mmCIF file of all heavy atoms in Angstrom:
data_model
loop_
_atom_site.group_PDB
_atom_site.id
_atom_site.type_symbol
_atom_site.label_atom_id
_atom_site.label_comp_id
_atom_site.label_asym_id
_atom_site.label_seq_id
_atom_site.Cartn_x
_atom_site.Cartn_y
_atom_site.Cartn_z
ATOM 1 N N GLU A 301 -19.994 217.201 7.648
ATOM 2 C CA GLU A 301 -20.343 218.593 7.430
ATOM 3 C C GLU A 301 -19.337 219.290 6.475
ATOM 4 O O GLU A 301 -19.724 220.005 5.685
ATOM 5 C CB GLU A 301 -20.502 219.337 8.682
ATOM 6 C CG GLU A 301 -21.744 219.057 9.411
ATOM 7 C CD GLU A 301 -21.885 219.894 10.756
ATOM 8 O OE1 GLU A 301 -21.465 221.037 10.701
ATOM 9 O OE2 GLU A 301 -22.532 219.417 11.674
ATOM 10 N N SER A 302 -18.024 218.862 6.633
ATOM 11 C CA SER A 302 -17.028 219.491 5.855
ATOM 12 C C SER A 302 -17.137 219.102 4.397
ATOM 13 O O SER A 302 -16.755 219.848 3.509
ATOM 14 C CB SER A 302 -15.689 219.159 6.305
ATOM 15 O OG SER A 302 -15.533 217.681 6.226
ATOM 16 N N SER A 303 -17.728 218.060 4.046
ATOM 17 C CA SER A 303 -17.926 217.643 2.689
ATOM 18 C C SER A 303 -19.019 218.244 1.877
ATOM 19 O O SER A 303 -19.171 218.276 0.815
ATOM 20 C CB SER A 303 -18.027 216.063 2.489
ATOM 21 O OG SER A 303 -19.200 215.634 2.998
ATOM 22 N N ALA A 304 -20.003 218.858 2.749
ATOM 23 C CA ALA A 304 -21.128 219.513 2.155
ATOM 24 C C ALA A 304 -20.766 220.945 1.822
ATOM 25 O O ALA A 304 -21.074 222.007 2.466
ATOM 26 C CB ALA A 304 -22.242 219.538 3.129
ATOM 27 N N SER A 305 -19.829 220.983 0.794
ATOM 28 C CA SER A 305 -19.256 222.312 0.520
ATOM 29 C C SER A 305 -20.295 223.083 -0.393
ATOM 30 O O SER A 305 -21.295 222.521 -0.732
ATOM 31 C CB SER A 305 -17.996 222.086 -0.332
ATOM 32 O OG SER A 305 -18.337 221.570 -1.656
ATOM 33 N N SER A 306 -19.905 224.314 -0.589
ATOM 34 C CA SER A 306 -20.803 225.160 -1.404
ATOM 35 C C SER A 306 -20.939 224.517 -2.802
ATOM 36 O O SER A 306 -21.956 224.757 -3.451
ATOM 37 C CB SER A 306 -20.322 226.655 -1.455
ATOM 38 O OG SER A 306 -18.986 226.619 -2.074
ATOM 39 N N GLU A 307 -19.967 223.971 -3.218
ATOM 40 C CA GLU A 307 -19.988 223.260 -4.636
ATOM 41 C C GLU A 307 -21.039 222.148 -4.621
ATOM 42 O O GLU A 307 -21.820 222.053 -5.585
ATOM 43 C CB GLU A 307 -18.584 222.702 -4.981
ATOM 44 C CG GLU A 307 -18.636 222.209 -6.462
ATOM 45 C CD GLU A 307 -17.182 221.638 -6.790
ATOM 46 O OE1 GLU A 307 -16.130 222.205 -6.266
ATOM 47 O OE2 GLU A 307 -17.195 220.620 -7.493
ATOM 48 N N ASP A 308 -21.019 221.358 -3.472
ATOM 49 C CA ASP A 308 -22.058 220.305 -3.547
ATOM 50 C C ASP A 308 -23.365 220.895 -3.413
ATOM 51 O O ASP A 308 -24.376 220.339 -4.010
ATOM 52 C CB ASP A 308 -21.806 219.347 -2.213
ATOM 53 C CG ASP A 308 -20.464 218.620 -2.360
ATOM 54 O OD1 ASP A 308 -20.035 218.397 -3.447
ATOM 55 O OD2 ASP A 308 -19.973 218.246 -1.221
ATOM 56 N N HIS A 309 -23.505 221.970 -2.653
ATOM 57 C CA HIS A 309 -24.854 222.633 -2.456
ATOM 58 C C HIS A 309 -25.311 223.093 -3.856
ATOM 59 O O HIS A 309 -26.452 223.006 -4.209
ATOM 60 C CB HIS A 309 -24.759 223.690 -1.492
ATOM 61 C CG HIS A 309 -26.031 224.501 -1.228
ATOM 62 N ND1 HIS A 309 -27.120 223.968 -0.667
ATOM 63 C CD2 HIS A 309 -26.395 225.715 -1.696
ATOM 64 C CE1 HIS A 309 -28.150 224.809 -0.613
ATOM 65 N NE2 HIS A 309 -27.625 225.880 -1.168
ATOM 66 N N TYR A 310 -24.440 223.751 -4.600
ATOM 67 C CA TYR A 310 -24.729 224.283 -5.913
ATOM 68 C C TYR A 310 -25.116 223.154 -6.920
ATOM 69 O O TYR A 310 -26.153 223.246 -7.502
ATOM 70 C CB TYR A 310 -23.463 225.006 -6.521
ATOM 71 C CG TYR A 310 -23.682 225.487 -7.892
ATOM 72 C CD1 TYR A 310 -24.424 226.574 -8.193
ATOM 73 C CD2 TYR A 310 -23.197 224.791 -9.028
ATOM 74 C CE1 TYR A 310 -24.773 226.970 -9.419
ATOM 75 C CE2 TYR A 310 -23.316 225.214 -10.267
ATOM 76 C CZ TYR A 310 -24.093 226.265 -10.503
ATOM 77 O OH TYR A 310 -24.401 226.772 -11.817
ATOM 78 N N MET A 311 -24.476 222.030 -6.840
ATOM 79 C CA MET A 311 -24.659 220.903 -7.725
ATOM 80 C C MET A 311 -26.078 220.303 -7.367
ATOM 81 O O MET A 311 -26.890 220.005 -8.229
ATOM 82 C CB MET A 311 -23.581 219.900 -7.565
ATOM 83 C CG MET A 311 -22.341 220.265 -8.278
ATOM 84 S SD MET A 311 -20.993 218.929 -8.118
ATOM 85 C CE MET A 311 -21.728 217.641 -9.040
ATOM 86 N N LEU A 312 -26.470 220.251 -6.059
ATOM 87 C CA LEU A 312 -27.740 219.751 -5.658
ATOM 88 C C LEU A 312 -28.775 220.688 -6.164
ATOM 89 O O LEU A 312 -29.929 220.270 -6.648
ATOM 90 C CB LEU A 312 -27.741 219.554 -4.052
ATOM 91 C CG LEU A 312 -29.130 219.139 -3.464
ATOM 92 C CD1 LEU A 312 -29.471 217.729 -4.087
ATOM 93 C CD2 LEU A 312 -29.013 219.045 -2.004
ATOM 94 N N LYS A 313 -28.620 222.011 -5.993
ATOM 95 C CA LYS A 313 -29.614 222.916 -6.430
ATOM 96 C C LYS A 313 -29.793 222.829 -7.976
ATOM 97 O O LYS A 313 -30.925 222.909 -8.483
ATOM 98 C CB LYS A 313 -29.100 224.468 -6.080
ATOM 99 C CG LYS A 313 -29.739 224.856 -4.821
ATOM 100 C CD LYS A 313 -29.190 226.332 -4.667
ATOM 101 C CE LYS A 313 -30.320 227.329 -4.775
ATOM 102 N NZ LYS A 313 -29.950 228.602 -4.417
ATOM 103 N N GLU A 314 -28.702 222.646 -8.688
ATOM 104 C CA GLU A 314 -28.805 222.552 -10.208
ATOM 105 C C GLU A 314 -29.442 221.284 -10.556
ATOM 106 O O GLU A 314 -30.318 221.336 -11.478
ATOM 107 C CB GLU A 314 -27.340 222.561 -10.651
ATOM 108 C CG GLU A 314 -27.214 222.674 -12.202
ATOM 109 C CD GLU A 314 -25.812 222.836 -12.700
ATOM 110 O OE1 GLU A 314 -25.131 223.783 -12.325
ATOM 111 O OE2 GLU A 314 -25.364 221.888 -13.355
ATOM 112 N N CYS A 315 -29.263 220.214 -9.820
ATOM 113 C CA CYS A 315 -29.881 218.951 -10.102
ATOM 114 C C CYS A 315 -31.383 219.047 -9.797
ATOM 115 O O CYS A 315 -32.286 218.621 -10.621
ATOM 116 C CB CYS A 315 -29.291 217.830 -9.232
ATOM 117 S SG CYS A 315 -30.030 216.185 -9.676
ATOM 118 N N LEU A 316 -31.737 219.699 -8.765
ATOM 119 C CA LEU A 316 -33.219 219.860 -8.436
ATOM 120 C C LEU A 316 -33.868 220.763 -9.432
ATOM 121 O O LEU A 316 -34.999 220.558 -9.806
ATOM 122 C CB LEU A 316 -33.438 220.496 -7.021
ATOM 123 C CG LEU A 316 -33.065 219.491 -5.917
ATOM 124 C CD1 LEU A 316 -33.114 220.213 -4.565
ATOM 125 C CD2 LEU A 316 -34.061 218.336 -5.843
#
Side-chain angles (χ1 to χ4, degrees):
E301 289 181 28
S302 61
S303 68
S305 68
S306 60
E307 184 179 329
D308 292 339
H309 181 70
Y310 174 77
M311 288 178 65
L312 179 60
K313 264 180 110 171
E314 192 175 298
C315 185
L316 288 174

